């Protein structure tokens, strides 16, 4: 049986996200979780919680209660100390004392989940900074103290968003050797990381620096190039290595707190060239007649985000924790969010009004206008979670790589140490291909079995949606055929 798209999502409306209020209230197998960004005015967190394993909400109107909140801490948080950032380029929080750090921590409540962006901005620091260790210890102490944690909330803190001391894949998120030269994904540098827990831990400083004793960790996937699909493999590899270092088995929960954060927009090509320049979105407004025009970062493929959230977020980590800005919007399509007060100042959200007739005022609201950019990408995590919920019959069993073949070709055999994603990444033209017809990888497929039940999934980011191949999976003595489009997640629930 092929999992179909959930009927509560609207694939024709790219502007709103529906999963936060319309998805079913249910937990996910294996204790997997999700957080959401509630970017809609007037929807309390209580309406979003428990939908497909949602445990916490970042941003909501009204503000979530402590036990409902995902506390996302920007670098300005440390400004609560009353001290300005230092001039130290490596640690702009270097003038803060432990007392300063604890005073800031004391101002913030214990919550259902938290993370931070202290690795950038005004109070930038590295995870090795003493101030960051003081921060983590202060938060750890606060949760352990019943006087400061009266709701007895369990501390779920993944620390730096996209932790720099954790393994984020490759060298600089490219398939390179230590010296910087490009290598194949199946270079011994990468395959050896799967050979033992210690090898996985040697991939980064998360364990040797002691961070593992203070905080969880996070895999961040922010596409920053138009050709981002090949990075699926490097990010899933990073998640697998971190999971192995945490002593986990086939995606089942274990030591530490470990999440996956995605971002639905292609951010840019560097400091000098912003990718959204010249790209505009036009949304028709009926009354008053005109167009709301936005100039924003283009969206990542929705289908790609569903596949990545399923395999990296739910199969490999504890769950998906998407990030977005704190902007809030309404649901009336005949309104728009506030206009940019300075249209000549290019920013990543440039909002303009083009009326059908001159002198018609923009239906812009300072609060509660319709979204100024597409928000549908937020539903990708809900759709992936819905698919994961369908694997409940095999819950508690580890995920394994599938023996499969394409179009009757040779069987793709699983690797003995679980490093299959590296071989998938290296297949066909591989990640270093430059010609326009390159196929950079092949399909990713995993399965698990419990008694007579088989759940298996397939996703191939190396092919476009229009490309269809016959996939045959060899599982538990049976062959399961699937006609699969590229860049599309398939989750199959079979009985043998």
């Amino acid at each position: 049986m092929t999992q179909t798209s959930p009927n509560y999502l609207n694939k024709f409306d790219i502007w709103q996200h529906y999963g936060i209020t319309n998805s079913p209230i249910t937990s996910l197998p294996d204790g997997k979780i999700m957080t959401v960004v509630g970017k809609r005015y007037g929807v309390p967190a209580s309406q979003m919680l428990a939908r497909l394993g949602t445990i916490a909400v970042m941003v909501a109107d009204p503000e979530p209660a402590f036990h409902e909140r995902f506390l996302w801490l920007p670098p300005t948080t440390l400004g609560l100390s009353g001290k300005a950032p230092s001039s130290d380029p490596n640690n702009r929080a270097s003038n803060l004392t432990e007392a300063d750090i604890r005073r800031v921590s004391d101002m913030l409540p214990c919550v259902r989940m938290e993370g931070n962006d202290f690795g950038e901005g005004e109070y930038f620091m590295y995870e090795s900074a003493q101030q960051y260790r003081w921060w983590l210890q202060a938060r750890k102490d606060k949760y352990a103290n019943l006087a400061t944690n009266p709701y007895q909330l369990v501390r779920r803190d993944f620390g730096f968003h996209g932790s720099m001391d954790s393994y984020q894949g490759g060298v600089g998120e490219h398939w390179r050797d230590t010296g910087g030269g490009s290598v194949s994904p199946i270079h011994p540098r990468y395959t050896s990381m799967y050979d033992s827990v210690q090898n996985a831990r040697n991939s980064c400083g998360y364990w040797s620096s002691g961070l593992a004793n203070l905080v969880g960790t996070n895999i961040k996937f922010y596409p920053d190039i138009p050709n981002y699909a090949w990075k699926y493999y490097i990010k899933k590899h990073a998640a697998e290595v971190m999971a192995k270092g945490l002593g986990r088995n086939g995606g089942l929960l274990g030591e530490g707190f470990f999440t996956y954060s995605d971002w639905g927009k292609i951010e840019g090509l560097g400091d000098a060239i912003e990718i959204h320049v010249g790209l505009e979105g036009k949304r028709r407004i009926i009354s008053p007649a005109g167009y709301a025009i936005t100039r924003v970062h283009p969206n990542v493929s929705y289908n790609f985000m569903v596949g990545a959230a399923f395999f990296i977020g739910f199969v490999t980590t504890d769950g998906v924790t998407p990030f977005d800005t704190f902007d809030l919007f309404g649901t009336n399509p005949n309104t728009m969010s506030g206009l940019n007060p300075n249209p000549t100042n290019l920013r990543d959200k440039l909002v303009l009004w083009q009326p059908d007739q001159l002198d018609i005022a923009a239906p812009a609201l300072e609060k509660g206008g319709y979204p100024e950019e597409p928000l549908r990408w937020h539903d990708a995590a809900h759709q992936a979670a819905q698919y994961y919920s369908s694997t409940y019959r095999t819950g508690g069993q580890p995920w394994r790589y599938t023996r499969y073949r394409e179009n009757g070709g040779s069987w793709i055999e699983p690797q003995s140490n679980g490093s299959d994603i590296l071989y998938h990444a290296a297949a066909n033209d591989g990640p270093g291909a430059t010609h326009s017809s390159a196929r950079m990888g092949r399909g990713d497929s995993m399965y698990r079995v419990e008694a007579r039940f088989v759940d298996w999934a397939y996703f191939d980011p190396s092919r476009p949606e229009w490309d269809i191949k016959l996939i045959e999976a060899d599982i538990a003595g049976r062959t399961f055929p699937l006609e699969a489009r590229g860049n599309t997640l398939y989750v199959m629930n079979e009985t043998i």
Side-chain angles (χ1 to χ4, degrees), residues 7-27:
N7 58 14
Y8 56 80
L9 300 180
N10 187 336
K11 63 182 179 181
F12 301 108
D13 182 2
I14 66 172
W15 298 94
Q16 291 285 358
H17 50 149
Y18 292 86
I20 56 169
T21 54
N22 295 8
S23 59
I25 294 177
T26 182
S27 59

Side-chain angles (χ1 to χ4, degrees), residues 39 263 265 274 276 279 293-297 323-329 337-343 345-352 371-375 377-378:
K39 294 176 68 66
W263 175 249
K265 293 172 273 189
E274 288 295 336
H276 57 71
L279 296 176
I293 299 177
T294 60
R295 182 174 291 165
V296 297
H297 300 305
F323 170 76
D324 205 356
T325 62
F326 293 177
D327 301 317
L328 292 165
F329 302 103
S337 61
L339 297 173
N340 187 341
N342 182 10
N345 178 26
L346 183 64
R347 61 182 186 121
D348 61 354
K349 295 179 183 176
L350 179 63
V351 185
L352 303 172
E372 63 188 33
E373 60 182 325
L375 298 178
W377 66 268
H378 284 279

Side-chain angles (χ1 to χ4, degrees), residues 12-87:
F12 301 108
D13 182 2
I14 66 172
W15 298 94
Q16 291 285 358
H17 50 149
Y18 292 86
I20 56 169
T21 54
N22 295 8
S23 59
I25 294 177
T26 182
S27 59
L28 296 180
D30 311 309
K32 304 291 181 167
I33 59 96
M34 183 166 62
T35 65
V36 297
V37 185
K39 294 176 68 66
R40 193 181 301 171
Y41 273 113
V43 180
S46 58
Q47 289 189 25
M48 308 179 208
L49 289 171
R51 296 185 185 277
L52 292 170
T54 298
I55 65 165
V57 176
M58 186 187 90
V59 182
D61 179 53
E63 187 176 39
F66 300 156
H67 66 281
E68 302 172 328
R69 190 177 307 175
F70 178 10
L71 185 63
W72 192 289
L73 300 171
T76 52
T77 301
L78 296 177
L80 296 173
S81 64
K83 290 185 178 179
S86 77
S87 59

Side-chain angles (χ1 to χ4, degrees), residues 217-445:
T217 190
N218 172 261
I219 296 291
K220 180 178 75 171
F221 187 13
Y222 279 16
D224 55 1
I225 55 174
N227 182 17
Y228 55 79
W230 66 270
K231 286 198 170 185
Y232 163 82
Y233 304 99
I234 208 165
K235 283 299 178 179
K236 189 178 184 216
H237 156 66
E240 289 178 340
V241 170
M242 290 302 296
K244 190 173 188 72
L246 290 166
R248 301 189 176 201
N249 178 26
L252 300 181
L253 301 190
E255 178 187 328
F257 182 61
F258 180 34
T259 61
Y260 166 70
S261 292
D262 56 8
W263 175 249
K265 293 172 273 189
I266 306 174
E267 288 199 277
L269 294 173
D271 294 336
I273 306 173
E274 288 295 336
I275 197 170
H276 57 71
V277 171
L279 296 176
E280 294 181 338
K282 298 179 71 173
R283 182 177 63 82
R284 183 64 176 168
I285 292 179
I286 304 302
S287 178
Y291 290 94
I293 299 177
T294 60
R295 182 174 291 165
V296 297
H297 300 305
N299 273 201
V300 175
S301 159
Y302 179 84
N303 284 348
F304 177 88
M305 293 194 68
V306 174
F310 180 87
F311 270 122
I312 305 176
F314 294 116
V315 168
T316 314
T317 78
D318 291 356
V320 181
T321 56
F323 170 76
D324 205 356
T325 62
F326 293 177
D327 301 317
L328 292 165
F329 302 103
T331 58
N332 181 354
N334 284 316
T335 64
M336 55 190 290
S337 61
L339 297 173
N340 187 341
N342 182 10
T344 62
N345 178 26
L346 183 64
R347 61 182 186 121
D348 61 354
K349 295 179 183 176
L350 179 63
V351 185
L352 303 172
W353 167 240
Q354 179 184 307
D356 284 7
Q357 299 178 9
L358 295 177
D359 301 325
I360 296 178
L365 302 179
E366 290 303 315
K367 181 177 180 179
Y370 209 66
E372 63 188 33
E373 60 182 325
L375 298 178
R376 182 176 182 248
W377 66 268
H378 284 279
D379 282 337
H382 285 88
Q383 187 162 341
Q386 182 82 51
Y387 291 171
Y388 198 84
S389 72
S390 75
T391 70
Y392 69 92
R393 304 173 312 164
T394 59
Q397 294 300 316
W399 290 92
R400 299 287 181 248
Y401 278 100
T402 311
R403 182 178 190 258
Y404 79 92
R405 65 182 178 179
E406 294 182 354
N407 287 346
S410 300
W411 289 98
I412 296 168
E413 303 289 346
Q415 300 298 311
S416 60
N417 65 353
S419 61
D420 300 58
I421 197 66
L422 301 177
Y423 290 81
H424 295 336
N428 297 307
D429 297 300
T434 56
H435 56 93
S436 59
S437 61
R439 182 182 175 195
M440 302 167 72
R442 68 185 178 204
D444 186 12
S445 182

